[in-house]
Amino acid sequence: MIIERNKTYLLQTKNTSYMFRILPTGHAEHLYYGQSILPEKMYEEFLTLGKISDDGSKEADSANLCLESMADALCEKHASAGGNMISYSDEHFEIALEDLPLEISSFGKGDIRDPFIHLTHEDGSDTSDFVFSKATIQEGYLAPQTLPGAYCDGKITKIGEKEDKTSYLVLTFTEKEYGNILELIYTVYPDCDVITRRAVLKTPNENVHINRLMSCQIDMHESGLKFTSFHGRWADEMHKTESICDGGRIVNEEMAAGESGSRSNPFVMVSDKDTTDDFGNCYGFNLVYSGNHYEALSSNGYDKSRFVSGISFARFGYTLSKGESFETPEAVMTFSANGYNHMSEHMHDFVRSHITRGVWRDKVRPILVNSWEASYFNFTESSLLKLAKEASKLGIELFVLDDGWFGQRNDDKRSLGDWYENKTKLPNGLKGLSEKINALGMDFGIWVEPEMVNEDSDLYRAHPEWAVQVPNRHHSKGRNQMNLDLTRTDVQDYIIDAMKNVFSSGNISYVKWDMNRIFSDYYSNELVGRQEEFIHRYYIGLYRVMDELTKAFPNILFEGCSAGGNRFDLGILCYFPQIWGSDDTDAICRIDIQRGYSYGYPQSTIGAHVSVTPNHQTLNCVPLETRFDIAAFGCFGYELNLCDLSSSEKKEIAEQVEFYKKWRHVCQFGTFYRLQGDRFMTVSKDKKKAVCYMIQKESRPNRDVVTYKMRGLDDNKIYNFSNKYVTIDLKSMGSLINMFTPVHIKQNGLLHAVANAFVSVSNEKEDLTISGALLNNCGVRLKPKFGSTGFDADGDKVGVMRTNDSRLYVLEEKE
Ligand code: GLA
């Protein structure tokens, strides 16, 4: 809901308010963003009034009064510009832009903070002064022209009870001396408690060079706030980092990688110092963009903070000729007064309903088996079919053929760009293979990396000018490969054609779209003199390619990937509803990585697989159950050679698959709560079901009382509480089994092996019927785990929980 009275604006969501007003100078003073400041009754009143027009109608009078007095209370009162600050003008000497919260700040008129916009004009000056000229409020949303953006299709699947009806505001500013036009576009998603912002610059009178143009600026009336960002590297993404900003500037930035990046994800939070998952004020910010980005929180001597976000300007510039326009990526903002979990809930709901789209948006994702860690480049049609047969016996639904199926691709040194089958490995092509997989009752999917080329490829030999490199200079490679120049329309067309050909060459229902190196040797033959525009134009090109292909193949489930989670962002999620979370499949590492993603991204967007032990990235050994339990909270699959597993492992996997089919909707689409320690849980939107996760990272004896306290359940519902039953093999009890056996069994001897094949040790079983109120407010005291004494070998009262063992608990409303 957006309300305007006398140039005061209120952007209202269910639980948050955002306010600003236009000053007599034409600048927009930011008044407030946070917990709703409208009494509920008034919110209802506003809702029934709908859009309030300027006709001064009777009903609108109370709104009028209310908004104006709210603005009077919130605005800053200044008598004069203090000390050595700049007074804006003689008529308005009390206005010092340096000490005013603003909706946008331009460079050169006294606001010396991190600016929203910085231009160089045709006359060489880089001072700008944008002042208000008009505003329009509409229902619905206004789609960006060149970039992906959040959307609202008017018939949004309900997220629980939520059903957003969006409205948007276009606030137009004109640059006083030069006539350039800056539009700020705000869209309000009331039920998700999200507001998006972006900007469009138009230059009707002159050529302009953009040095920076941000997407979002939020000025806050306090300092000492906490800035939380997520950093990492390949195979180690999304580590949470917190810094207090009490003066100076804290920056989260991907300035040269050329992708949103694992080094610094564009999702960040700004909160009070003591905000936790369950308590406190917290803002969440993200950007619908996949290129270099910048998010910064600064605070100044007047105890004010500024948050800005947008395209990184470190290696960016853009020349607009007279009459052209430039639009920024869309920034997403949300706020909660109830801690990070509640903020995440808003973000998750928003991403699920307004970022991801297409037929897969609300559908549970199929359980897949991926060939990569099963056989890497080394496979034949018959070895793939063996794997597929095993997978189909276990109930797996989708077979994914990863890298290695095309050109001469027997290692990672060649053939990227040559998108035709390797007939030695696949004599019957993708068509023949996919038919055989389909005959096994499974869908078929394929891996591609269309944005790349190897020097050793037919494509490079034919078109060296399509690769990103500085002409006649040495170029550097990443994973032996080069980026293709997607700023060029002919390269985009080539990729579209090549991929259309691949995607229709068999019955393909899933595509993993990879991108395995960052950028170097930035250069495009078509951007001579404007190389600073390269990365931004690259993404405009990529988005065109993704748009055409996802429209041409609407039923394909696309999974983004960039050497794991190196391009995990809302831009990609506008086209591909899920992204491979990390090349690290070690279950223990995955806990931190997936927990990191969970702050800003819902489980239905995160690819997560069970792989072999010892793990291929860390050589750590982790039980199969533990590997399953963490992967279950994502787009789930197996990535190991199923044929090499023992019969008991296969049996365990078949049980996991069966369990997952029953619970995956809750795991993928439920509301996610981070709990104490490494625990977390998901609760279905109707609160009838929940799945809870627990891991024992370090097992110690004689500690048998463990309480599992939950969140988000309905206090008034009665639930059946149980655990996913886990069997343990006899061998894991070591020589202790002699406590229970009539004859002595030598550890690792023949008898031990025989006994192990036939006998398994029983584990604890939880089975209670209890209220949501008890579970939310107190929690369950779990059955004890083996801790040196008291083991219940053939009962179900005591469990085994070694270091790195985990458990899933499930709750179902008792009918
Ligand atoms: C990247 C991906 C992996 C796998 C390989 C194939 O590293 O992240 O999952 O697809 O490429 O080369």
Side-chain angles (χ1 to χ4, degrees):
M1 181 172 73
I2 302 173
I3 304 160
E4 186 267 321
R5 301 311 285 167
N6 300 328
K7 294 191 185 159
T8 297
Y9 296 81
L10 171 67
L11 283 60
Q12 180 72 28
T13 71
K14 217 169 191 171
N15 301 296
T16 68
S17 305
Y18 185 112
M19 259 189 104
F20 60 89
R21 63 169 187 167
I22 305 300
L23 294 169
T25 56
H27 299 99
E29 180 186 3
H30 177 79
L31 297 170
Y32 178 77
Y33 181 33
Q35 180 75 353
S36 175
I37 46 175
L38 265 193
E40 248 171 56
K41 195 169 153 274
M42 224 169 245
Y43 179 56
E44 299 301 325
E45 253 173 50
F46 277 132
L47 275 184
T48 47
L49 289 173
K51 204 185 102 198
I52 300 169
S53 58
D54 267 331
D55 65 0
S57 66
K58 243 191 178 176
E59 300 120 312
D61 283 349
S62 67
N64 188 2
L65 201 74
C66 166
L67 273 204
E68 291 203 323
S69 52
M70 282 163 80
D72 285 344
L74 291 167
C75 69
E76 293 203 350
K77 286 93 185 166
H78 293 280
S80 62
N84 68 349
M85 280 192 288
I86 305 297
S87 291
Y88 175 66
S89 64
D90 293 346
E91 302 79 59
H92 293 288
F93 67 92
E94 78 286 5
I95 291 199
L97 296 173
E98 177 183 349
D99 189 24
L100 254 192
L102 297 165
E103 284 298 297
I104 47 150
S105 147
S106 53
F107 181 79
K109 295 302 287 181
D111 185 354
I112 52 172
R113 296 169 288 179
D114 217 5
F116 183 86
I117 184 165
H118 181 213
L119 308 175
T120 302
H121 299 285
E122 221 170 65
D123 64 8
S125 144
D126 66 347
T127 288
S128 287
D129 190 13
F130 284 93
V131 291
F132 175 81
S133 58
K134 63 174 179 177
T136 50
I137 298 171
Q138 298 280 326
E139 280 172 8
Y141 80 108
L142 187 64
Q145 300 292 303
T146 52
L147 294 169
Y151 81 108
C152 179
D153 65 6
K155 41 183 187 312
I156 286 171
T157 310
K158 281 191 175 181
I159 300 267
E161 288 311 302
K162 299 179 178 183
E163 194 178 12
D164 277 322
K165 288 201 174 62
T166 56
S167 41
Y168 68 91
L169 160 70
V170 181
L171 204 60
T172 307
F173 294 80
T174 307
E175 200 181 11
K176 261 185 168 171
E177 307 289 343
Y178 300 92
N180 296 314
I181 292 164
L182 182 64
E183 290 172 351
L184 301 186
I185 301 159
Y186 300 76
T187 311
V188 178
Y189 296 83
D191 274 21
C192 287
D193 283 321
V194 161
I195 297 171
T196 63
R197 279 189 65 168
R198 63 181 206 272
V200 177
L201 178 70
K202 296 176 178 163
T203 53
N205 301 330
E206 58 162 354
N207 301 327
V208 167
H209 186 74
I210 303 173
N211 305 311
R212 83 147 85 176
L213 180 52
M214 294 282 106
S215 298
C216 176
Q217 173 181 322
I218 301 290
D219 281 357
M220 299 161 188
H221 296 75
E222 64 206 308
S223 72
L225 296 166
K226 185 161 75 181
F227 185 69
T228 306
S229 48
F230 297 84
H231 303 274
R233 52 185 186 251
W234 172 75
D236 198 13
E237 297 87 345
M238 294 304 280
H239 290 283
K240 184 157 87 108
T241 308
E242 299 179 333
S243 324
I244 304 293
C245 185
D246 232 341
R249 178 160 47 148
I250 300 170
V251 174
N252 178 65
E253 183 172 28
E254 204 70 74
M255 60 185 201
E259 59 178 9
S260 50
S262 60
R263 282 77 165 173
S264 301
N265 192 277
F267 172 76
V268 299
M269 305 189 288
V270 175
S271 63
D272 288 347
K273 263 184 198 149
D274 49 3
T275 294
T276 66
D277 273 330
D278 297 327
F279 302 100
N281 292 325
C282 169
Y283 299 90
F285 296 105
N286 210 340
L287 214 51
V288 188
Y289 194 56
S290 311
N292 295 326
H293 58 93
Y294 175 85
E295 295 77 28
L297 180 69
S298 48
S299 71
N300 67 4
Y302 300 94
D303 286 334
K304 298 204 175 99
S305 300
R306 169 169 292 175
F307 173 80
V308 295
S309 70
I311 297 174
S312 163
F313 48 87
R315 200 235 170 243
F316 167 81
Y318 204 98
T319 304
L320 277 188
S321 301
K322 185 172 159 182
E324 287 184 338
S325 68
F326 180 88
E327 69 179 347
T328 71
E330 190 158 33
V332 178
M333 326 185 280
T334 190
F335 172 85
S336 170
N338 303 310
Y340 301 130
N341 272 328
H342 194 226
M343 182 283 307
S344 297
E345 185 181 344
H346 295 164
M347 270 295 176
H348 289 193
D349 288 350
F350 176 77
V351 172
R352 283 199 188 107
S353 55
H354 300 292
I355 293 291
T356 55
R357 57 201 76 181
V359 296
W360 283 99
R361 184 184 71 176
D362 306 316
K363 277 216 254 181
V364 289
R365 307 296 153 71
I367 303 176
L368 63 81
V369 60
N370 179 299
S371 68
W372 180 240
E373 288 198 27
S375 53
Y376 297 102
F377 295 104
N378 190 11
F379 57 80
T380 59
E381 184 187 89
S382 86
S383 75
L384 294 174
L385 286 172
K386 251 176 91 185
L387 179 62
K389 267 182 207 146
E390 204 53 67
S392 118
K393 275 194 253 163
L394 300 174
I396 293 171
E397 300 157 316
L398 166 68
F399 181 90
V400 178
L401 173 55
D402 209 280
D403 198 353
W405 60 268
F406 51 91
Q408 302 305 313
R409 187 79 171 167
N410 296 318
D411 55 32
D412 64 8
K413 294 191 173 51
R414 65 203 87 247
S415 292
L416 287 174
D418 299 344
W419 298 110
Y420 38 82
E421 299 104 328
N422 177 318
K423 289 284 180 173
T424 315
K425 291 183 190 178
L426 302 180
N428 302 303
L430 291 174
K431 186 168 188 306
L433 179 64
S434 64
E435 281 167 1
K436 288 177 190 163
I437 302 276
N438 289 162
L440 292 169
M442 280 195 294
D443 287 333
F444 178 72
I446 190 100
W447 177 97
V448 290
E449 194 178 355
E451 299 162 64
M452 296 290 164
V453 65
N454 283 118
E455 232 169 341
D456 182 1
S457 69
D458 295 343
L459 180 67
Y460 187 82
R461 283 182 280 273
H463 287 290
E465 78 285 6
W466 284 5
V468 176
Q469 55 185 324
V470 186
N472 308 316
R473 305 267 180 237
H474 167 261
H475 63 264
S476 301
K477 292 184 196 140
R479 208 193 182 199
N480 310 306
Q481 63 202 48
M482 301 163 79
N483 306 82
L484 281 174
D485 179 2
L486 269 79
T487 68
R488 295 173 62 127
T489 319
D490 50 1
V491 175
Q492 296 162 22
D493 290 342
Y494 157 78
I495 294 178
I496 291 168
D497 285 350
M499 289 304 116
K500 279 189 173 166
N501 190 30
V502 172
F503 301 163
S504 47
S505 62
N507 188 14
I508 290 172
S509 59
Y510 162 102
V511 167
K512 177 173 168 189
W513 182 295
D514 212 339
M515 194 269 194
N516 274 310
R517 62 158 288 178
I518 57 172
F519 285 81
S520 67
D521 304 276
Y522 282 62
Y523 193 87
S524 168
N525 294 310
E526 307 230 325
L527 292 176
V528 176
R530 336 173 39 134
Q531 298 297 340
E532 293 170 319
E533 297 173 14
F534 175 73
I535 287 295
H536 183 66
R537 286 182 180 272
Y538 180 93
Y539 281 99
I540 291 175
L542 176 65
Y543 292 140
R544 180 200 150 208
V545 169
M546 291 163 85
D547 191 51
E548 288 214 12
L549 289 170
T550 48
K551 282 190 178 132
F553 298 90
N555 294 317
I556 288 185
L557 170 60
F558 284 88
E559 176 158 344
C561 176
S562 178
N566 287 269
R567 199 169 60 181
F568 204 111
D569 62 66
L570 301 184
I572 298 295
L573 288 172
C574 283
Y575 302 98
F576 302 163
Q578 60 191 58
I579 301 174
W580 178 226
S582 176
D583 271 356
D584 185 357
T585 56
D586 181 309
I588 304 303
C589 305
R590 273 291 184 136
I591 299 170
D592 294 336
I593 296 171
Q594 289 177 212
R595 204 179 162 89
Y597 282 122
S598 79
Y599 283 89
Y601 303 93
Q603 314 85 273
S604 57
T605 61
I606 307 166
H609 298 169
V610 169
S611 62
V612 76
T613 200
N615 175 268
H616 284 189
Q617 292 79 46
T618 60
L619 295 180
N620 288 338
C621 293
V622 177
L624 181 52
E625 180 61 23
T626 304
R627 286 177 269 150
F628 168 77
D629 289 354
I630 182 71
F633 291 90
C635 303
F636 175 73
Y638 291 88
E639 189 165 333
L640 74 173
N641 191 344
L642 298 166
C643 307
D644 286 352
L645 300 183
S646 69
S647 52
S648 69
E649 285 171 315
K650 286 181 194 165
K651 183 166 165 274
E652 200 176 330
I653 289 184
E655 286 164 6
Q656 291 175 348
V657 166
E658 200 187 322
F659 172 91
Y660 192 67
K661 285 179 181 166
K662 177 164 179 213
W663 291 97
R664 67 178 143 184
H665 196 274
V666 189
C667 290
Q668 293 175 2
F669 292 93
T671 304
F672 190 89
Y673 296 94
R674 287 170 298 274
L675 306 174
Q676 158 206 2
D678 293 304
R679 297 175 194 178
F680 55 82
M681 66 185 287
T682 58
V683 182
S684 64
K685 292 290 172 188
D686 60 9
K687 295 185 185 269
K688 289 185 174 184
K689 290 182 177 179
V691 183
C692 310
Y693 174 86
M694 181 170 85
I695 173 119
Q696 173 86 56
K697 278 218 176 140
E698 189 188 19
S699 170
R700 300 235 172 160
N702 192 19
R703 281 202 182 164
D704 53 4
V705 182
V706 172
T707 305
Y708 200 117
K709 191 171 168 186
M710 298 169 193
R711 287 220 49 194
L713 298 169
D714 183 339
D715 279 348
N716 297 314
K717 284 196 189 338
I718 302 295
Y719 294 94
N720 286 324
F721 167 81
S722 60
N723 56 332
K724 176 179 182 293
Y725 184 67
V726 186
T727 50
I728 5 166
D729 63 17
L730 198 63
K731 269 195 159 174
S732 57
M733 297 301 290
S735 64
L736 256 192
I737 57 163
N738 287 301
M739 302 278 288
F740 321 114
T741 49
V743 291
H744 181 77
I745 295 183
K746 187 176 155 218
Q747 200 180 349
N748 297 328
L750 186 63
L751 200 54
H752 202 181
V754 173
N756 190 53
F758 295 103
V759 185
S760 64
V761 182
S762 77
N763 222 340
E764 94 281 9
K765 276 192 184 142
E766 303 282 1
D767 185 13
L768 295 167
T769 301
I770 24 180
S771 69
L774 184 150
L775 293 159
N776 284 333
N777 296 316
C778 170
V780 192
R781 313 248 187 268
L782 301 170
K783 285 193 172 166
K785 306 294 177 310
F786 171 76
S788 173
T789 55
F791 192 59
D792 174 26
D794 48 11
D796 57 12
K797 296 191 184 56
V798 179
V800 169
M801 196 97 175
R802 299 154 297 186
T803 292
N804 290 342
D805 272 337
S806 65
R807 287 287 188 278
L808 293 185
Y809 300 98
V810 293
L811 293 125
E812 220 166 343
E813 186 185 11
K814 191 174 154 57
E815 293 300 338

